[in-house]
Amino acid sequence: MRLSRYYLPVLKETPSDAQIASHRLMLRAGMIRQQGAGIYAWLPLGFRVLKKIEQIVREEQDRAGAVEMLMPTIQSADLWRESGRYDAYGKEMLRITDRADREMLFGPTNEEMITEIFRAGVRSYKDLPKMLYHIQWKFRDEIRPRFGVMRGREFLMKDAYSFDIDEDAARKSYYKMFVAYLRTFARMGLKSIPMRADTGPIGGDLSHEFIVLAETGESAVFCDRGLIDMAVPAKDTDFDSDLKPVIDQFTSLYAATEEKHDETEFTAKVAVSDRISARGIEVGHIFFFGEKYSKPMRAVVAGPDGAEIPVQMGSYGVGVSRLVGAIIEACHDKAGCKWPMAIAPFHVGLINLRAGDEACDAACEKIYAALEAAGVDVLYDETAARPGEKFARMDLVGAPYQITIGPRGLESGEAEVKRREDGEKSSVAFAEVAAMIADRVKAALEYA
RNA sequence: CGGGGCGUAGCGCAGCCUGGUAGCGCAUCUGGUUUGGGACCAGAGGGCCGCAAGUUCGAAUCUUGCCGCCCCGACCA
């Protein structure tokens, strides 16, 4: 992408209402623009990141055996009356009436709708198990939206739903999602820690929040240091195999959010040097809720003996738009974003220090074309801006690699390569730089 | 929803107390000098001062109402 054609409205000064790093940087880097309290437009740069995150989530859901679909944002109130949640949900639900005065709502979640869809097409236990998911915008009229996209009112969420014949089978579905989540967040360069969460009226051990540690996290969390270095299940994990050992391993060490924290247990089970008490961002939540919706909404199947039984359900959410903020919280410095390769809006920033100079232009065009041909996402700054401004802007955008071409380096036949992560700079022979960077990008995009 | 605060040019702000139709920095545009980490000189454009009513000869400024946004708290992917 040529910068001159792109829409990248960067800000030199920090907008006054941005309190935390991710919000500040997203505004400054021209990723989002606020349209109302907790409502944001995604500008081209932010949209690229959002799409890359969404794609990773999708790939890992598919790998775990979930099937993608798409449900509408607008739902009918009648559906929610069936489960009894229409009145229970309260003011967080945005209620709408259409021209015929029918009561509608902008979906805050989709349990009712998926249950309706499922019951319409499944009759027998032989059709189970099933796992369905979609990635869709939701709206929750939060009392107090804040922190930019981390707690917006409108947000993009992946939600999956599992349907099983009994609790034992449901447990297997739950495990699949557990593993899928570990992999999903790891691929984005995040350390996520599954923490036990409130299971509500059902009880049991089947509810976990996936937390990313960050100073600006909204909840206080407590865990064993051992969880941080625990190896994430590999790409070739067979999701139909017994996943219990993996779950056992990840749940063997203490990890709880504030609400579930038990200080006595914490001090008893975790050595002082291994105790982490920090703040975290919830990026995913998996939950088994049994017959909560299937029973009142009559999502039943015939069992082997012919008797109708309500299906056992679970739901599994990932805050896709929130992840953009969460990743920035985890990966940034004073100058800007430091994107992990997998979700970087651009892999490489190419800086032409002397646009208009024949030699510089020719050299840059050549590298630009070579990188693009190799499938690398390049942001090519061919504007007439001054060097300092170009460097600062590229640091703000945060591509993992920057290639700088200027008259000085060109004389010696070299390009300067800077790694955004640690600022390390090196000179690379002009003839080799494109191939070298393309290789590095490809290597970084390989995932476990 | 309770408590606090803010709304003046694209962004950051001053002016308001003590009424006289608006200013600063950055950004933008033009010309010139510059050019390896956010340049310099000269000039220019850009504002129903959130909206509405009221007081007044006169309102960004005072009064009332409304709207919007932010922060703290209880609640949440």
Side-chain angles (χ1 to χ4, degrees):
Chain A
M1 178 58 62
R2 287 168 200 275
L3 181 58
S4 64
R5 284 187 202 160
Y6 209 49
Y7 183 64
L8 188 70
V10 299
L11 304 173
K12 199 159 161 182
E13 284 168 286
T14 301
S16 59
D17 25 305
Q19 301 295 312
I20 63 171
S22 60
H23 189 194
R24 204 163 53 230
L25 290 175
M26 288 181 79
L27 290 169
R28 284 198 51 215
M31 294 177 69
I32 52 170
R33 180 162 177 85
Q34 182 165 2
Q35 297 299 330
I39 300 175
Y40 295 86
W42 292 78
L43 307 187
L45 190 74
F47 188 59
R48 273 181 170 255
V49 177
L50 191 68
K51 283 291 170 189
K52 289 195 176 187
I53 290 173
E54 182 183 323
Q55 185 54 28
I56 289 176
V57 170
R58 176 175 291 118
E59 286 171 16
E60 294 301 325
Q61 288 293 297
D62 291 347
R63 199 192 301 279
V67 181
E68 187 170 16
M69 59 180 296
L70 184 61
M71 290 179 266
T73 53
I74 306 293
Q75 308 184 26
S76 98
D78 288 343
L79 196 52
W80 284 65
R81 289 205 172 89
E82 282 193 51
S83 70
R85 282 212 290 181
Y86 190 68
D87 297 319
Y89 218 91
K91 290 195 167 176
E92 264 198 7
M93 187 154 71
L94 180 62
R95 292 152 210 262
I96 307 167
T97 40
D98 69 7
R99 66 200 301 163
D101 262 336
R102 279 182 288 254
E103 293 174 278
M104 317 289 283
L105 58 99
F106 196 117
T109 178
N110 287 71
E111 278 85 4
E112 282 80 0
M113 188 174 283
I114 196 75
T115 303
E116 190 282 326
I117 289 167
F118 175 87
R119 75 183 175 192
V122 176
R123 290 281 171 282
S124 162
Y125 75 98
K126 291 177 188 168
D127 296 322
L128 301 180
K130 285 276 179 281
M131 262 203 280
L132 299 170
Y133 77 97
H134 78 333
I135 300 172
Q136 177 64 291
W137 291 92
K138 309 264 188 291
F139 192 93
R140 290 185 194 167
D141 200 354
E142 295 279 346
I143 287 166
R144 193 179 155 216
R146 62 183 122 175
F147 302 148
V149 301
M150 296 257 280
R151 171 84 75 85
R153 290 197 293 173
E154 187 180 51
F155 56 97
L156 186 61
M157 184 179 173
K158 183 284 301 182
D159 41 323
Y161 303 91
S162 64
F163 304 88
D164 288 282
I165 189 66
D166 56 31
E167 191 174 331
D168 210 49
R171 186 171 286 270
K172 291 194 177 109
S173 297
Y174 186 91
Y175 290 170
K176 287 181 185 179
M177 283 292 146
F178 192 107
V179 170
Y181 276 34
L182 288 173
R183 290 189 41 76
T184 299
F185 301 127
R187 280 186 59 188
M188 294 171 193
L190 294 173
K191 274 284 173 226
S192 73
I193 302 173
M195 300 199 174
R196 63 185 181 211
D198 207 339
T199 46
I202 296 163
D205 58 341
L206 294 183
S207 177
H208 288 89
E209 291 182 8
F210 285 73
I211 301 283
V212 171
L213 299 184
E215 280 175 29
T216 43
E218 289 195 85
S219 34
V221 297
F222 306 85
C223 69
D224 191 311
R225 191 172 301 279
L227 282 161
I228 290 181
D229 301 315
M230 218 165 257
V232 165
K235 187 180 187 175
D236 59 3
T237 297
D238 177 3
F239 279 86
D240 289 320
S241 67
D242 182 13
L243 298 172
K244 187 164 188 298
V246 180
I247 279 69
D248 284 348
Q249 184 199 356
F250 274 89
T251 53
S252 62
L253 298 178
Y254 188 93
T257 58
E258 203 169 13
E259 307 84 60
K260 296 291 285 179
H261 179 57
D262 181 337
E263 187 66 28
T264 315
E265 189 188 341
F266 188 46
T267 46
K269 280 180 77 172
V270 188
V272 183
S273 58
D274 287 335
R275 280 177 211 157
I276 293 180
S277 72
R279 302 199 66 81
I281 301 164
E282 183 184 354
V283 290
H285 194 168
I286 61 178
F287 201 84
F288 169 72
F289 49 71
E291 303 171 357
K292 183 172 178 187
Y293 302 98
S294 57
K295 205 165 182 179
M297 294 184 67
R298 290 203 48 77
V300 297
V301 294
D305 59 357
E308 286 190 332
I309 36 179
V311 292
Q312 300 292 316
M313 294 175 59
S315 81
Y316 313 88
V318 170
V320 176
S321 48
R322 168 180 285 187
L323 273 165
V324 180
I327 290 167
I328 295 174
E329 287 300 324
C331 314
H332 73 275
D333 60 18
K334 324 90 234 156
C337 305
K338 302 201 285 190
W339 298 107
M341 193 65 80
I343 47 94
F346 293 99
H347 303 130
V348 175
L350 175 61
I351 296 176
N352 183 345
L353 278 185
R354 189 80 59 88
D357 175 271
E358 230 174 273
C360 285
D361 289 353
C364 285
E365 289 295 339
K366 208 169 164 186
I367 292 172
Y368 180 54
L371 286 170
E372 293 264 290
V376 174
D377 290 339
V378 185
L379 181 61
Y380 172 27
D381 184 348
E382 20 70 293
T383 66
R386 305 176 58 79
E389 187 182 344
K390 292 191 174 207
F391 291 133
R393 183 164 51 201
M394 210 53 98
D395 284 347
L396 179 60
V397 167
Y401 287 103
Q402 289 173 18
I403 301 175
T404 302
I405 301 290
R408 209 163 74 190
L410 232 80
E411 269 178 42
S412 52
E414 285 175 329
E416 182 185 279
V417 171
K418 175 173 145 181
R419 193 161 58 189
R420 182 65 180 87
E421 189 183 3
D422 55 10
E424 187 204 71
K425 291 179 189 171
S426 55
S427 287
V428 178
F430 172 74
E432 289 159 21
V433 69
M436 187 195 94
I437 294 298
D439 283 349
R440 285 206 204 167
V441 169
K442 272 181 210 153
L445 286 174
E446 286 291 319
Y447 57 94

